[in-house]
Amino acid sequence: MHNNIKNVKRCTKCILSANFPRIKFDEKGVCNFCNNELLHSTEQEDITSATLEVQKLFDDKRGKSEYDAIVCYSGGKDSTYTLKLAVEKYKLNILSFTLDNGFISPVAFKNIEKVVTALGVDHITYRPSYEFMKGLYRVSSLENIYNPKTLTRISSNCNSCISIINITSLKIALEKRIPFILAGFTLGQIPSNTIYYQNNYEFFKESRKPILDKFKSEIGPEVSRYMEISEDLLKSSESFPHNINLLCMEDITENEILEKIKPLGWIKPGDVDGCSTNCRINSFNNYVHTLKFGYSPYELELSHLIRKNLLSREEALEKLFDQPEDQINYAKSELKLDENQILKNKVV
Amino acid sequence: METKEKIQSDLLQFLSRQFFVDIEDIQIDKSLIDTGIIDSMGLIEIASYIKKTHGFVVSNEQMNRDNFGSVLKLVDFIYKTKS
């Protein structure tokens, strides 16, 4: 698989490959995304507008609830910096929340402990049963659960995990009347027009129903416990929180982030791939995505960072190719999956 | 006041660029979610587009199938709200 990743034709400016949806190259080998034909050209407007609106929202709601915001904290570098920003820059009273998916690096757990201690925030960890998580990853790997559009930015397995994080954080926010949910997504991972938005669970629920139905039929009714919110809780909720991605409003390189979080005691785990700083199933997730679609789920994000001059093309390729076989094999063994099973539902 | 045709043409251009889809592949009378053009986050992206392009904020109550159920419904919603 890695030879395929390395040998595929790529844009000469970014790292988008010939297998990426709707890509075209000009005579110099530059893709239509770099040439701005397919990009939303008003990203800076979105950032400027979000910065003003988010500050207003924080000023309006700060200090009026048990916590000002819940931070979805994976222990990775981006969510660590998000937590730091929330506490130190925006002066918010934070509840930090980690979803333990069963594949978090032990070093990442130590990072979480050190960082929440250094920043003086309350913290909770929620661990769904390991059997459930493995079932979720198996189904997400084998079946074509999600809209291909969703999967241009993220692997199916990561999307399933993030769905549980989103639902769990929303449940906590509704139960505790917390007005904001903060996450560590960067531009490239999410579009610039979703830097902040108010949750609309009812409509999301309707649009996600086919996905949940597929999971329920494959895994069982326990899917509801992890991926839905009870009617009682919804009825008792007066308003829905805003989801905000603080990192999207920061112009900062990865190295600068690492320097900023070093004093908190954060160190890079050695048992993760080049695209993750906390999760040991990420390489497997990338492997499944690449097998099915012919490109890495990190191409869009890394290419965005290159265009913003926050990462060099060489650094991006190094991250993309750093996908340790031992981690892929470990996940295959835990999930009891092999390549032939995954290839049955190949998309390209 | 913009015509419905202009609102629709601009919306289709936005959808094409934002969601990597050819305009000819968008069925204007069908749900954008059901036809696989957008996912649930796409709804937020469309609401943000409406705010930026047409100058009004879509409330949670307005974000429903009657208004967001297809391109034609979105065009009607934008047109009526602006007028």
Side-chain angles (χ1 to χ4, degrees):
Chain A
M1 181 203 54
H2 298 311
N3 283 339
N4 290 344
I5 282 189
K6 285 179 182 170
N7 295 334
V8 72
K9 179 182 177 183
R10 291 185 188 281
C11 171
T12 50
K13 273 194 177 176
C14 70
I15 59 163
L16 286 181
S17 64
N19 293 329
F20 197 82
R22 296 195 77 206
I23 197 159
K24 287 174 194 162
F25 300 102
D26 66 15
E27 65 284 355
K28 290 178 183 163
V30 178
C31 75
N32 47 340
F33 289 79
C34 282
N35 286 331
N36 208 22
E37 291 165 29
L38 288 173
L39 288 171
H40 208 271
S41 55
T42 54
E43 183 176 291
Q44 194 50 50
E45 280 176 37
D46 288 337
I47 296 169
T48 306
S49 147
T51 305
L52 289 170
E53 292 292 330
V54 165
Q55 192 62 58
K56 268 191 233 164
L57 284 167
F58 285 161
D59 289 345
D60 187 41
K61 304 269 174 106
R62 191 184 285 105
K64 293 182 179 167
S65 308
E66 182 183 353
Y67 296 100
D68 297 323
I70 179 166
V71 171
C72 301
Y73 185 33
S74 72
K77 65 175 170 48
D78 290 340
S79 61
T80 298
Y81 188 55
T82 298
L83 186 57
K84 180 179 161 67
L85 284 172
V87 173
E88 295 180 353
K89 178 175 177 177
Y90 293 99
K91 313 287 182 202
L92 300 172
N93 181 21
I94 295 297
L95 174 62
S96 160
F97 152 64
T98 299
L99 181 94
D100 178 0
N101 64 3
F103 291 89
I104 303 279
S105 159
V107 175
F109 269 123
K110 283 187 186 153
N111 282 334
I112 289 169
E113 198 180 323
K114 284 185 276 188
V115 170
V116 297
T117 303
L119 291 173
V121 298
D122 293 350
H123 177 80
I124 52 173
T125 299
Y126 176 59
R127 182 179 165 109
S129 88
Y130 190 47
E131 286 309 308
F132 171 76
M133 289 306 298
K134 285 196 294 184
L136 187 78
Y137 288 134
R138 271 182 65 85
V139 173
S140 306
S141 301
L142 292 173
E143 306 296 328
N144 295 327
I145 298 277
Y146 298 107
N147 180 334
K149 146 71 186 161
T150 305
L151 301 181
T152 54
R153 294 177 186 275
I154 189 169
S155 69
S156 178
N157 282 345
C158 282
N159 202 48
S160 296
C161 194
I162 284 170
S163 294
I164 298 184
I165 293 170
N166 287 341
I167 291 295
T168 310
S169 59
L170 180 56
K171 274 184 199 173
I172 298 167
L174 292 175
E175 283 165 0
K176 293 184 173 295
R177 307 272 197 268
I178 301 174
F180 302 110
I181 299 173
L182 312 182
F185 290 114
T186 58
L187 287 176
Q189 289 177 321
I190 60 162
S192 60
N193 51 15
T194 60
I195 293 174
Y196 78 102
Y197 61 91
Q198 187 167 21
N199 226 290
N200 186 337
Y201 180 76
E202 287 295 349
F203 199 33
F204 284 175
K205 183 182 164 188
E206 192 185 330
S207 59
R208 287 176 183 144
K209 189 174 182 304
I211 294 166
L212 283 178
D213 287 346
K214 278 189 211 169
F215 276 129
K216 284 176 189 170
S217 71
E218 296 288 334
I219 300 173
E222 66 267 35
V223 166
S224 292
R225 190 189 317 154
Y226 304 107
M227 303 181 91
E228 287 184 296
I229 294 180
S230 73
E231 288 301 318
D232 284 349
L233 180 56
L234 290 172
K235 278 180 194 159
S236 67
S237 303
E238 287 162 10
S239 66
F240 283 87
H242 280 81
N243 287 55
I244 300 172
N245 293 287
L246 297 180
L247 209 44
C248 295
M249 298 181 289
E250 299 290 317
D251 205 12
I252 188 166
T253 66
E254 178 179 322
N255 285 336
E256 286 166 343
I257 289 177
L258 294 176
E259 279 305 308
K260 298 259 187 196
I261 61 179
K262 207 169 157 185
L264 301 174
W266 192 93
I267 55 171
K268 191 174 182 210
D271 56 353
V272 293
D273 66 66
C275 295
S276 174
T277 46
N278 72 310
C279 183
R280 291 183 301 143
I281 200 172
N282 198 52
S283 325
F284 173 77
N285 299 347
N286 297 340
Y287 157 83
V288 172
H289 191 284
T290 307
L291 272 183
K292 281 190 169 182
F293 295 93
Y295 65 91
S296 164
Y298 280 91
E299 288 184 15
L300 201 61
E301 175 193 350
L302 294 172
S303 294
H304 183 270
L305 293 174
I306 294 168
R307 287 185 210 108
K308 296 264 289 181
N309 291 319
L310 296 174
L311 194 71
S312 73
R313 189 172 183 276
E314 291 67 34
E315 287 169 326
L317 286 173
E318 196 179 318
K319 283 175 176 293
L320 202 69
F321 297 156
D322 178 12
Q323 303 296 318
E325 285 289 340
D326 61 329
Q327 286 173 37
I328 296 170
N329 291 333
Y330 169 71
K332 273 186 188 172
S333 159
E334 285 294 289
L335 304 183
K336 297 185 173 53
L337 284 175
D338 64 43
E339 193 161 307
N340 290 332
Q341 289 171 291
I342 296 162
L343 282 170
K344 273 185 189 167
N345 275 327
K346 190 174 176 182
V347 176
V348 290
Chain B
M1 179 68 191
E2 273 179 314
T3 62
K4 281 192 177 184
E5 287 72 26
K6 175 77 167 67
I7 293 171
Q8 180 170 315
S9 158
D10 288 349
L11 177 61
L12 287 170
Q13 287 287 345
F14 164 77
L15 294 171
S16 172
R17 281 158 50 116
Q18 192 77 7
F19 301 106
F20 314 148
V21 63
D22 291 326
I23 288 179
E24 308 82 69
D25 292 335
I26 302 173
Q27 300 177 62
I28 59 171
D29 59 342
K30 298 271 165 54
S31 157
L32 291 164
I33 287 183
D34 295 347
T35 52
I37 306 290
I38 65 168
D39 57 18
S40 53
M41 279 306 293
L43 301 168
I44 300 295
E45 293 177 64
I46 293 172
S48 171
Y49 162 81
I50 291 173
K51 182 183 172 192
K52 196 186 302 174
T53 310
H54 297 288
F56 66 91
V57 175
V58 179
S59 69
N60 265 1
E61 292 70 33
Q62 289 172 316
M63 205 186 278
N64 55 43
R65 271 201 182 257
D66 285 343
N67 296 331
F68 276 59
S70 68
V71 168
L72 290 178
K73 286 180 178 177
L74 274 162
V75 170
D76 268 344
F77 168 61
I78 294 167
Y79 184 81
K80 281 177 189 163
T81 307
K82 287 182 84 171
S83 56

